[in-house]
Amino acid sequence: MELSFYLQYYLFYLQNKFMGYPFVIRLTVLIVMGLIFIYILSLIRFVWINLNLRKRERDFAKLSRKVKDRFVAILGSAEKYGEDKVFQEFEDVIQRMNNKTKIQITDLILNTANELKESGKAVNEDNYRSIIDVLDIPRFWESELMSNNSKRRHLALRKLDNLGNGLTTSVLMRSTNHKNKGLRKQARAAVMKYDNIDPFKFLEDSFDTDFNALDEIMIHHFLEGRQSEGPLPLLSRWVQHAKNHAFKAFMVKEIGFFNQMECAEFLKGLLKTEESKLVRAAIIESLGNLGRQEVEHEIFDMYGISPVEIQTAIINAVAKFKTKIGLDFLTNQFFKTADNEQKVHLAYAIKQFGEEGKLRLTNLSTNSNEFERKIFDQVNYQLG
């Protein structure tokens, strides 16, 4: 009774004492106490995470010591192991496997296969397939794809892709419209990779509303893979209907990269009507890659009234055409422009005309100021 009385007494005493301080001091004390509380929670969380990471590392190292030598022996063997023989090799592991073990084994299999390839040794694909099937790895990650947790689905997509396990479109389609942007894009890229019926379906909608540089890499990789299997369809099909300017510009550049000469006339027509400077620059770049010299006079006329991005694309295209009138054009623009950065682009472009370009730079240097001579020295040093 006395203890509770004293506790209550001192609690009220401290409360009244605290309320007697000015408002600024009270507010400062509350903020400091809040920050101390957050700091303690953060410290506890940091220690907890660190302990978990160390435990995972210990578990992974323990599993690695137990099975890695077997993985190396089977994956590196020329002998074909059947699933029964693989089961016998890993029976002790299978009996104690859980979801955490399957995640660790996935990483261990991938690491072992990569190490063998990096050392110049061949990986027995039949044995590789037998191991992941017997250990039930693909089915585990396919079940993770059905999770409601977007992080788990994202990880499952990545692991299945790394494993090289062919995915069915029906499993992937569930994630192609997910609100998580990263998961949605990865799922769409996977559908394009594994769908043999309509692999280009997501190009109809500019792949995704938020098209960025990473998407460019994924689609470029997909197109390269498709080209290795046979001729690509004309990419102008998706340029024509694209509403996203970033996607449209990218696909235009891909036309030039894959040398689709059949699309050249389409690009020439689009250059006259396209309003986006990003797309116009991409069109000029692609026409340069396709070597369509007949557009030179048209892009010469555009140069003076165009923004810097388009001017740079014109300079690069003219450098690829390598015509006499193109060299004259670049030389004239070098003296006309007041933009020092553009002068550097022009000097590099002139140098690409071989001996004639080198001679033109030498002649230009005699009538140039000190800064321009430094540009010529830099170009000659880097390009020889």
Side-chain angles (χ1 to χ4, degrees):
M1 180 70 179
E2 291 182 0
L3 179 62
S4 63
F5 173 77
Y6 281 117
L7 286 174
Q8 190 175 19
Y9 170 79
Y10 282 112
L11 180 64
F12 281 120
Y13 171 76
L14 290 172
Q15 183 180 358
N16 289 330
K17 189 76 174 173
F18 177 74
M19 294 302 294
Y21 288 120
F23 174 75
V24 174
I25 294 178
R26 282 183 285 151
L27 180 63
T28 303
V29 170
L30 288 174
I31 292 173
V32 170
M33 289 180 66
L35 290 174
I36 291 172
F37 179 71
I38 293 171
Y39 172 76
I40 293 171
L41 284 180
S42 300
L43 191 62
I44 293 171
R45 185 171 182 271
F46 173 77
V47 172
W48 176 257
I49 291 172
N50 193 43
L51 289 173
N52 274 333
L53 286 174
R54 289 188 178 184
K55 185 177 185 303
R56 286 181 192 176
E57 289 173 359
R58 288 196 302 270
D59 292 344
F60 186 79
K62 183 179 178 180
L63 182 65
S64 180
R65 288 193 298 270
K66 188 175 183 180
V67 301
K68 185 168 183 177
D69 289 341
R70 285 181 259 179
F71 283 155
V72 172
I74 297 172
L75 292 175
S77 173
E79 177 189 353
K80 183 177 179 179
Y81 282 58
E83 290 192 2
D84 291 338
K85 190 172 182 180
V86 170
F87 180 83
Q88 292 173 4
E89 289 284 343
F90 294 101
E91 187 172 3
D92 58 325
V93 178
I94 293 170
Q95 290 174 352
R96 298 181 180 181
M97 279 184 72
N98 53 34
N99 289 348
K100 185 179 72 174
T101 312
K102 288 179 181 179
I103 295 172
Q104 293 173 337
I105 282 180
T106 301
D107 292 334
L108 197 53
I109 292 171
L110 291 172
N111 292 344
T112 305
N114 288 334
E115 286 170 8
L116 286 171
K117 290 175 182 176
E118 288 172 1
S119 64
K121 297 178 182 177
V123 174
N124 189 316
E125 294 296 334
D126 292 327
N127 292 350
Y128 172 82
R129 182 59 54 192
S130 295
I131 290 173
I132 64 173
D133 286 342
V134 167
L135 297 179
D136 203 30
I137 301 301
R139 192 167 66 173
F140 164 70
W141 288 113
E142 285 174 5
S143 67
E144 287 290 284
L145 272 179
M146 305 305 291
S147 168
N148 290 325
N149 186 306
S150 62
K151 288 184 179 179
R152 287 169 61 184
R153 287 162 71 174
H154 204 292
L155 179 63
L157 267 174
R158 189 151 42 85
K159 293 298 182 183
L160 284 168
D161 196 32
N162 291 340
L163 286 166
N165 188 66
L167 293 165
T168 57
T169 306
S170 57
V171 174
L172 293 168
M173 288 302 291
R174 185 168 180 261
S175 301
T176 56
N177 292 305
H178 198 275
K179 63 181 180 180
N180 182 291
K181 182 170 61 178
L183 174 61
R184 181 176 70 244
K185 291 183 177 184
Q186 191 177 2
R188 291 185 177 194
V191 169
M192 291 168 67
K193 181 177 180 179
Y194 294 108
D195 188 358
N196 291 319
I197 299 174
D198 187 13
F200 300 94
K201 67 176 72 178
F202 290 110
L203 297 186
E204 302 288 351
D205 300 320
S206 300
F207 185 68
D208 197 82
T209 51
D210 177 33
F211 190 78
N212 56 37
L214 182 59
D215 301 333
E216 291 182 6
I217 294 171
M218 288 193 294
I219 295 178
H220 181 74
H221 181 69
F222 159 73
L223 293 174
E224 283 190 314
R226 285 288 167 178
Q227 189 188 41
S228 65
E229 297 172 6
L232 288 173
L234 295 182
L235 301 181
S236 55
R237 164 185 168 187
W238 295 287
V239 173
Q240 191 170 8
H241 301 292
K243 293 181 174 60
N244 184 300
H245 289 159
F247 173 79
K248 191 173 186 178
F250 166 72
M251 293 303 289
V252 167
K253 290 179 183 178
E254 292 295 89
I255 289 173
F257 179 86
F258 291 105
N259 199 32
Q260 292 195 335
M261 296 296 295
E262 303 90 336
C263 299
E265 292 300 321
F266 166 77
L267 292 181
K268 287 164 60 179
L270 186 62
L271 183 60
K272 293 181 174 65
T273 59
E274 181 59 47
E275 296 180 357
S276 166
K277 64 181 181 181
L278 182 67
V279 179
R280 285 166 68 84
I283 294 169
I284 294 166
E285 180 182 326
S286 277
L287 288 171
N289 289 332
L290 295 173
R292 300 309 295 256
Q293 299 176 359
E294 66 269 21
V295 300
E296 266 194 320
H297 288 290
E298 183 178 348
I299 61 178
F300 290 166
D301 295 337
M302 291 169 51
Y303 187 88
I305 58 172
S306 297
V308 174
E309 297 91 330
I310 295 178
Q311 288 183 345
T312 303
I314 291 171
I315 292 168
N316 294 335
V318 172
K320 290 173 183 174
F321 295 148
K322 290 183 171 57
T323 63
K324 175 64 169 57
I325 58 170
L327 181 57
D328 293 338
F329 170 79
L330 296 176
T331 305
N332 292 333
Q333 293 304 322
F334 184 87
F335 283 117
K336 285 181 180 179
T337 185
D339 186 338
N340 289 332
E341 188 175 348
Q342 204 69 301
K343 282 181 181 289
V344 174
H345 286 303
L346 287 161
Y348 274 102
I350 292 170
K351 181 65 176 178
Q352 292 177 45
F353 281 75
E355 289 299 321
E356 193 174 354
K358 185 177 181 180
L359 180 62
R360 190 66 64 93
L361 285 180
T362 303
N363 294 334
L364 286 172
S365 64
T366 58
N367 299 317
S368 301
N369 58 39
E370 185 179 352
F371 176 77
E372 290 169 348
R373 282 194 290 272
K374 286 182 179 179
I375 293 176
F376 299 142
D377 291 340
Q378 177 185 336
V379 171
N380 286 322
Y381 175 77
Q382 291 189 357
L383 300 183

